[in-house]
């Protein structure tokens, strides 16, 4: 995950994730909810298919495996915690 910016003291952040066709990545377990939006490509996450404009919510402490069948580009939004 490539950080693009952090915009709030509570941790709102935007990241970018690029995967080449055939690549695989286990999303690092985080301390914030991460929303990933696929803007290009396709593949699967834990056996569920994704394609352009698919969204994935990664809960705190989760680390799903993403497998790209086509070159893929995601933008991620780390949501602030209010607890």
């Amino acid at each position: 995950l490539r950080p693009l910016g952090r915009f709030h003291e509570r941790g709102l952040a935007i990241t970018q994730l690029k995967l080449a066709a055939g690549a695989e990545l286990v999303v690092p377990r985080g301390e914030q909810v991460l929303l990933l939006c696929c803007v290009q490509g396709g593949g699967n996450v834990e056996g569920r298919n994704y394609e352009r404009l698919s969204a994935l919510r990664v809960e705190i402490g989760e680390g799903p495996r993403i497998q790209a069948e086509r070159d893929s580009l995601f933008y991620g939004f780390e949501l602030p915690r209010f607890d």
Side-chain angles (χ1 to χ4, degrees), residues 40-52:
Q40 175 185 321
N44 73 75
V45 178
E46 300 292 333
R48 297 180 70 180
N49 290 336
Y50 72 83
E51 57 188 31
R52 184 175 178 270

Side-chain angles (χ1 to χ4, degrees), residues 3-58:
L4 298 178
R6 190 161 296 275
F7 301 99
H8 189 272
E9 67 274 1
R10 291 200 184 258
L12 174 64
I14 298 178
T15 59
Q16 183 183 67
L17 171 63
K18 289 184 179 181
L19 292 173
E24 186 174 296
L25 172 80
V26 175
V27 176
R29 295 175 191 266
E31 295 182 14
Q32 294 174 252
V33 172
L34 173 65
L35 299 178
L36 289 172
C37 179
C38 177
V39 295
Q40 175 185 321
N44 73 75
V45 178
E46 300 292 333
R48 297 180 70 180
N49 290 336
Y50 72 83
E51 57 188 31
R52 184 175 178 270
L53 299 182
S54 293
L56 168 66
R57 180 182 173 119
V58 181

Side-chain angles (χ1 to χ4, degrees), residues 46-80:
E46 300 292 333
R48 297 180 70 180
N49 290 336
Y50 72 83
E51 57 188 31
R52 184 175 178 270
L53 299 182
S54 293
L56 168 66
R57 180 182 173 119
V58 181
E59 296 293 337
I60 295 169
E62 289 183 347
R65 179 179 308 277
I66 300 174
Q67 297 172 312
E69 294 170 4
R70 298 186 307 274
D71 290 347
S72 296
L73 174 63
F74 292 86
Y75 283 100
F77 302 89
E78 295 178 34
L79 302 180

